[in-house]
Amino acid sequence: QFVLVESGGGFGQPGGSLRLSCVASGGTLEDYAIGWFRQAPGKEREGFSCINSDGRSTTYIPSVKGRFTVFRDNVKNIVYLQMNNLKPEDTGVYYCAASRLRRALCPSSAMDYWGKGTLVTVSS
């Protein structure tokens, strides 16, 4: 079965950086659009980025645009999330998810496979 595993979460300080990885197995990552989601404590899950299957189109919500960058290495079957200029409100569990629709806009309902998440904590 197609499986996604996030890694790289942990502690970050405001203004600092973290890089998360989403590693796929049991399938070819280049066949899927990949969305990134996060869930802050006490809040609903929020989708914040979507990259299409070939990496030529990537979208971000305004709160992360200019700070977060998603890129993919389809040869290694890994999608990366580079987070810069971290803010305390970035704290939450981060998930990657895959859609069989290669040009999906990555709403939650369009995602076919989900990782189990990795915790990111941003504080002084």
Side-chain angles (χ1 to χ4, degrees), residues 48-51 57-61 70 105:
F48 62 86
S49 185
C50 184
I51 184 169
S57 178
T58 307
T59 62
Y60 306 89
I61 63 172
V70 174
L105 297 176

Side-chain angles (χ1 to χ4, degrees), residues 39-50:
Q39 187 166 19
K43 297 184 179 180
E44 296 183 354
R45 185 173 59 196
E46 172 191 48
F48 62 86
S49 185
C50 184

Side-chain angles (χ1 to χ4, degrees), residues 21 26 50 67 73 79 121-122 124:
S21 299
C50 184
R67 300 189 300 117
D73 185 338
V79 174
T121 302
V122 183
S124 299

Side-chain angles (χ1 to χ4, degrees), residues 87-102:
K87 301 178 179 180
E89 52 264 42
D90 293 324
T91 294
V93 178
Y94 282 67
Y95 303 87
C96 64
S99 173
R100 294 174 179 173
L101 301 176
R102 299 184 180 187

Side-chain angles (χ1 to χ4, degrees), residues 11-85:
F11 177 82
Q13 63 182 50
S17 298
L18 287 172
R19 178 177 288 189
L20 306 186
S21 299
C22 175
V23 180
S25 62
T28 303
L29 189 59
E30 66 181 350
D31 292 335
Y32 302 87
I34 299 295
W36 282 94
F37 301 79
R38 64 186 183 182
Q39 187 166 19
K43 297 184 179 180
E44 296 183 354
R45 185 173 59 196
E46 172 191 48
F48 62 86
S49 185
C50 184
I51 184 169
N52 68 7
S53 61
D54 62 10
R56 290 189 170 91
S57 178
T58 307
T59 62
Y60 306 89
I61 63 172
S63 63
V64 308
K65 191 173 184 179
R67 300 189 300 117
F68 291 7
T69 303
V70 174
F71 54 100
R72 61 194 302 161
D73 185 338
N74 285 338
V75 175
K76 294 182 178 180
N77 248 19
I78 301 173
V79 174
Y80 299 96
L81 169 64
Q82 179 67 43
M83 301 186 291
N84 297 327
N85 192 23

